[in-house]
Amino acid sequence: MKKVQTNDVILQTVTKIASFIILLFSFHLFFAGHNNPGGGFIGGLMTASSLVLLLLAYDLKTVQNILPVNFIYVAAIGLFISVSTGIGSFLFGAQFLSHAFDYFNLPLLGKTELATAVLFDIGVYLVVVGVTMTIIQTIGERE
Amino acid sequence: MTSLHIAILSPFALAFLIPLLAKNVRKIHTGWFVLFLPVLLFIYFFRMIKMTADGGTLKAVLEWIPSFGINFTAYVDGLGLLFALLITGIGSLVVLYSIYYLSKEREQLGPFYVYLLMFMGAMLGVVLVDNVIVLYLFWELTSISSFLLIGYWYKREKSRYGATKSMLITIFGGLSMLGGFILLYTITGSFSIREMINQVDLISGHGFFIPALVLVLIGAFTKSAQFPFYIWLPDAMEAPTPVSAYLHSATMVKAGIYIVARFTPVFAFSGEWFWIVSLTGIVTLFWGSFNAVKQTDLKSILAFSTVSQLGMIMSMLGVGAAALHYQNFEYYMVAVIAAVFHLINHATFKGSLFMAVGIIDHETGTRDIRKLGGLMTIMPITFTITLIGAFSMAGLPPFNGFLSKEMFFTSMLRITNFNLYNVDTWGFLFPVLAWIGSVFTFIYCMVLLFKTFGGKYQPEKLEKQAHEAPLGMLISPIVLVSLVVIFFFFPNILSYSIIEPAASSIMPTLLDGDEKFKVHIYMWHGFSPELYMTIGVVALGVLAYLTLSKWRKVYGLFPEKLTLNKLYDSSLSGLEKGSNKITRTYMTGFLRDYLVYVFVFFIVIIGGSLAVTGGFSYDVKGNASIGIYELVLSAVMIAATFTTVFARSRLTAIIGLGVIGYTLALFFVIFRAPDLALTQLIIETISVALFLLCFYHLPKLRFKPKSAKFRVTNALVSVGVGTVVTLLALSANSQRSLESIASYFIENSYKLAGGHNIVNVILVDFRGFDTLFEITVLVIAALGIYGMIRLRLGKGGEEH
């Protein structure tokens, strides 16, 4: 395939702004998950799509320079976190994957609910990001 | 664990030690280490003769699987002891003979003696066990060890062929016998043969009686090489001669005889038993002796002769069943006594004949009677041995074969007076076939003797310079032929000690209390019809032997294509070809064909059970009303589906699929599933992108965009699957029998898990376990794609 030199100024400029908005939206989806539509899965997909946008506007190498991350490790860490939250409940004499939650008064945020289920969801989030990015990068690099 | 159990299992224990000895003690022939065991066992069993002669039995139980009633119950009575003595006695002689027969330098002795000991132990197990399942276990062990022994010279193709053939036939019989045993178990509820004999009335009245009888007899007939299963025995002659002498003349082939004798008290009262056993026996006798005459290989002659003699014993056991029907049972009981007597005689003379043939083979290098001749003066001792063995087999005095042959004729003549089961009309066949068979027996005995030792010595045809065998090789056959002569002059040393207890174990129901059969074997019983029959056999036999070259052509008349061997070979290859053909018809290698099978099966099973059970129902009462959005979206989805199916180009199909996916997301929106809608949107986008990627990389050369080919079967199958699934969904929807558990989640999602988003709470909390494995699936998929693309091996097997 012939490489055509193109000028992507508009795309790249829009990407610089849009990818951060998407990223923020994905964080919102993730944290809102317990009470509103959203959660680890959809949040992870959104994060991945913001990264994909970067990939589209720039090239693989540039993105890898910005984010020098091996996404297989991300997926592995996510899986590890999810399994650990399950095993963690053994420490309290509970059954595998029993979750707990409570309300705390945190500085800045005020009265906040903290749940171990969110930890599990972080695992899901990382796995989804890792898996999606691994697949896309692997296929993309094949050229 | 009693001494009896140790005795039965000791050959197996020794078999474990033999490889060590064979490997480390190379100076001494391994056989010497083996020899002591059968001798010890023989002495051990010999000391039991007094016990069984007094009518005693020995029973010892070793629990194995008591919960199933399967126990290693050793049981010694007259019949078992007779066989145990044969196995250990002939076993000792064969081991001694094999020490001189098998060369220490050239042969692999370790495996040979391991197999032989395995066989010996298995055979002892078969005859000394009361539990049919354990009996079956030992029975199959004899088949396996026999297979190993026949294939001992595994580099020869004929050995492998013979071993496979005997394996297939005897295992077939063994399995059918197992079926018979299980049927007997379902009737009586016990695996013990004693118990079955006690319940004989129950068995004979049961519907499974005939199947059990036939299955057990198939097992016995295959092992004992009866018509038409005898074909494996001549091919088993590829085994080393000690093996042929031991397994294929004296012991294993008599296991079937043992089974028939052992189950006589269970089955013998019926007419079916009488006819099947005695007719098969007499036909085998005739056919075996008839075919033995045409053989040119010494061991083949002996193989067919074994077949014929086993048929003779079998027919006597069958005919002996007549004794059960009369008060005056002694008149027919002579057949059973003759069977037991001939069993012993056959073991002695056939063992010695095999050993003699082995010597001839060993010293001249050939077994072909066309090459042999004139060995009488060169090998005088072997000649004497063969002479005694052959004359005894032919039924001539002064050898023990004469006595049992006379008794055989007596029993065959007496059976014509038996007036049950149509024997009075067809019974004349027995003495006639017996007599003709005996004539042929006489002929092949003479062929065996005089073609080998008579005539002219032809040294140019022999591979080796013929000479007399070493003494060690001659000891065993000399012992056996001495017994042949001793049993003629003093037959009654066997009568009360061995034959009588064995006969009373075969026919236990005929005796009350301490009563005993009157077994007395007369050397001379006057000028009876039997004697005239023997004189006739000799006269006609001599005549036929002298004119053999004139009528030999008779054997050419029988077409080669119709023989049982041909049938066996062609059915085996036909089975292979046929199953190959059948497999090829449906295992086409095309995925679409397999999918058709899967879907057709689905339609038949699900649709069929819906139709058969009347499970289809249609009920719209609880359904919600259909709004305008649903209608519009459904129309869009149906249109997209048709576009996808009938699209001309793949690109259209991919976009059609995308439309279906996004419409599905809209359905999730109007059915109020925001999480599903979000996920569906993104996933659909990604999968469409991946489809486009695949599309982009299709090979350019062979790619011609064209619409999918229309096939009637595919259309029918897909319409069928759609219909069945639709019907199934409608029926399932209209037959909800239980309340949904959804209300529990709605009430408790905030109380127990602190979240308002029920879907998310279910995913991460209530049923987090599923999610855990779903993300595992994702990771595996990613690793799979990574592996497939990055770690591909190039054509040369190198990494890319």
Side-chain angles (χ1 to χ4, degrees), chain B residues 463-481:
Chain B
E463 286 168 26
K464 296 178 186 172
Q465 181 70 35
H467 57 85
E468 187 57 275
L471 182 65
M473 222 165 173
L474 289 167
I475 295 173
S476 303
I478 287 174
V479 171
L480 285 171
V481 290

Side-chain angles (χ1 to χ4, degrees), chain A residues 1 33-39 41-42 79 82 96-97 99 101 103 113 120-121 127 131 135 139 141-143, chain B residues 674-675 678-679 682 693 696-697 750-757 760 764-765 768-769 772 775 778-779 789-790:
Chain A
M1 214 192 335
H34 219 48
N35 290 309
N36 291 305
F41 199 84
I42 188 70
L79 202 56
S82 294
F96 185 67
L97 270 179
H99 289 302
F101 68 94
Y103 298 90
E113 179 198 355
F120 182 80
D121 232 8
V127 166
V131 166
I135 292 173
I139 294 175
E141 270 173 29
R142 198 178 148 250
E143 293 309 316
Chain B
D675 295 271
L678 277 170
T679 315
I682 298 189
L693 196 73
Y696 185 76
H697 287 291
Y750 192 72
K751 240 193 298 179
L752 292 179
H756 289 294
N757 182 352
N760 189 267
V764 299
D765 199 332
F769 204 57
L772 185 61
I775 58 177
L778 283 180
V779 173
I789 291 176
R790 286 283 180 83

Side-chain angles (χ1 to χ4, degrees), chain B residues 547-708:
Chain B
T547 56
L548 182 61
S549 52
K550 298 213 168 59
W551 58 272
R552 231 196 135 91
K553 290 183 202 103
V554 172
Y555 289 106
L557 294 177
F558 196 68
E560 186 77 12
K561 271 188 182 167
L562 290 177
T563 54
L564 284 166
N565 271 322
K566 236 341 181 249
L567 182 73
Y568 165 85
D569 287 338
S570 58
S571 64
L572 213 59
S573 64
L575 209 65
E576 214 174 288
K577 270 183 209 146
S579 52
N580 204 350
K581 221 178 225 169
I582 291 172
T583 313
R584 265 161 203 275
T585 54
Y586 67 92
M587 297 305 283
T588 53
F590 289 113
L591 269 179
R592 59 166 178 269
D593 288 341
Y594 303 153
L595 282 176
V596 168
Y597 306 150
V598 171
F599 287 131
V600 167
F601 188 78
F602 172 83
I603 295 169
V604 169
I605 294 299
I606 306 284
S609 49
L610 265 184
V612 169
T613 59
F616 177 70
S617 63
Y618 182 64
D619 179 16
V620 286
K621 247 187 283 165
N623 287 4
S625 58
I626 303 170
I628 183 78
Y629 293 120
E630 286 96 326
L631 281 176
V632 170
L633 284 180
S634 303
V636 171
M637 209 170 202
I638 289 166
T641 310
F642 275 104
T643 314
T644 313
V645 174
F646 294 109
R648 280 189 172 275
S649 83
R650 290 200 167 90
L651 196 60
T652 323
I654 292 169
I655 291 169
L657 273 181
V659 173
I660 294 174
Y662 289 130
T663 324
L664 187 65
L666 285 179
F667 264 117
F668 286 144
V669 170
I670 61 170
F671 288 139
R672 285 175 292 171
D675 295 271
L676 288 186
L678 277 170
T679 315
Q680 172 66 25
L681 272 174
I682 298 189
I683 288 295
E684 190 60 38
T685 312
I686 291 175
S687 42
V688 167
L690 286 176
F691 267 129
L692 287 172
L693 196 73
C694 294
F695 168 78
Y696 185 76
H697 287 291
L698 277 177
K700 285 201 174 64
L701 274 176
R702 293 172 57 196
F703 177 60
K704 281 180 215 144
K706 64 178 174 194
S707 61

Side-chain angles (χ1 to χ4, degrees), chain B residues 22-338:
Chain B
K23 218 170 186 181
N24 296 323
V25 192
R26 285 192 174 272
K27 283 203 172 154
I28 307 168
H29 196 286
T30 317
W32 292 112
F33 300 112
V34 179
L35 184 59
F36 80 95
L37 183 75
V39 173
L40 270 182
L41 288 174
F42 183 76
I43 295 166
Y44 172 78
F45 286 117
F46 196 77
R47 285 155 50 107
M48 287 188 188
I49 289 180
K50 194 167 166 14
M51 177 199 75
T52 54
D54 294 339
T57 56
L58 187 66
K59 191 176 167 181
V61 183
L62 180 69
E63 289 203 336
W64 184 26
I65 317 174
S67 54
F68 286 119
I70 298 172
N71 291 317
F72 187 3
T73 315
Y75 180 81
V76 185
D77 62 355
L79 186 65
L81 188 67
L82 160 65
F83 274 91
L85 285 171
L86 277 182
I87 293 160
T88 51
I90 306 231
S92 318
L93 296 173
V94 162
V95 171
L96 180 64
Y97 177 78
S98 71
I99 293 173
Y100 292 92
Y101 186 86
L102 291 174
S103 150
K104 167 167 84 185
E105 285 83 26
R106 270 172 289 139
E107 307 285 0
Q108 287 185 296
L109 294 175
F112 180 79
Y113 286 108
V114 167
Y115 304 156
L116 200 71
L117 282 168
M118 204 167 111
F119 171 77
M120 193 184 287
M123 202 61 211
L124 279 177
V126 166
V127 299
L128 292 177
V129 150
D130 184 49
N131 192 296
V132 285
I133 297 297
V134 182
L135 191 155
Y136 171 74
L137 176 89
F138 283 120
W139 181 274
E140 291 299 27
L141 266 176
T142 63
S143 295
I144 291 166
S145 50
S146 159
F147 167 77
L148 291 169
L149 283 166
I150 297 169
Y152 176 63
W153 287 313
Y154 55 86
K155 283 179 183 151
R156 300 182 189 171
E157 212 217 314
K158 273 187 151 183
S159 296
R160 298 197 300 269
Y161 173 75
T164 318
K165 194 174 187 177
S166 77
M167 177 86 151
L168 283 174
I169 293 176
T170 53
I171 298 277
F172 159 73
L175 286 173
S176 87
M177 198 173 77
L178 178 66
F181 288 161
I182 290 169
L183 285 184
L184 284 175
Y185 174 74
T186 53
I187 301 171
T188 61
S190 167
F191 284 124
S192 159
I193 301 174
R194 297 294 101 204
E195 194 55 39
M196 287 172 191
I197 293 171
N198 289 338
Q199 301 194 29
V200 66
D201 293 333
L202 183 71
I203 295 173
S204 55
H206 202 277
F208 284 157
F209 177 76
I210 296 296
L213 184 152
V214 170
L215 287 175
V216 169
L217 278 183
I218 287 176
F221 287 170
T222 50
K223 198 75 149 187
S224 277
Q226 297 296 296
F227 191 87
F229 306 115
Y230 68 86
I231 50 170
W232 65 267
L233 189 61
D235 284 309
M237 290 303 131
E238 290 304 318
T241 303
V243 172
S244 311
Y246 189 36
L247 275 70
H248 306 126
S249 74
T251 53
M252 187 180 85
V253 287
K254 292 199 170 108
I257 303 273
Y258 170 79
I259 289 294
V260 168
R262 186 50 94 198
F263 281 88
T264 293
V266 180
F267 293 120
F269 206 77
S270 68
E272 288 85 0
W273 173 274
F274 175 86
W275 273 114
I276 296 175
V277 177
S278 45
L279 207 61
T280 310
I282 205 88
V283 168
T284 313
L285 162 68
F286 168 73
W287 190 246
S289 59
F290 177 69
N291 274 304
V293 179
K294 78 168 172 184
Q295 305 302 322
T296 52
D297 181 278
L298 285 173
K299 274 177 96 176
S300 295
I301 297 178
L302 288 180
F304 276 102
S305 127
T306 304
V307 169
S308 144
Q309 301 278 317
L310 290 169
M312 176 174 162
I313 301 173
M314 198 64 93
S315 71
M316 286 193 275
L317 280 175
V319 163
L324 287 166
H325 298 273
Y326 291 97
Q327 280 293 312
N328 180 21
F329 55 79
E330 296 280 349
Y331 186 68
Y332 293 113
M333 195 58 201
V334 69
V336 174
I337 291 163

Side-chain angles (χ1 to χ4, degrees), chain B residues 274-275 322 325-326 417-424:
Chain B
F274 175 86
W275 273 114
H325 298 273
Y326 291 97
N417 294 331
F418 184 49
N419 54 8
L420 275 174
Y421 314 135
N422 291 331
V423 179
D424 33 2

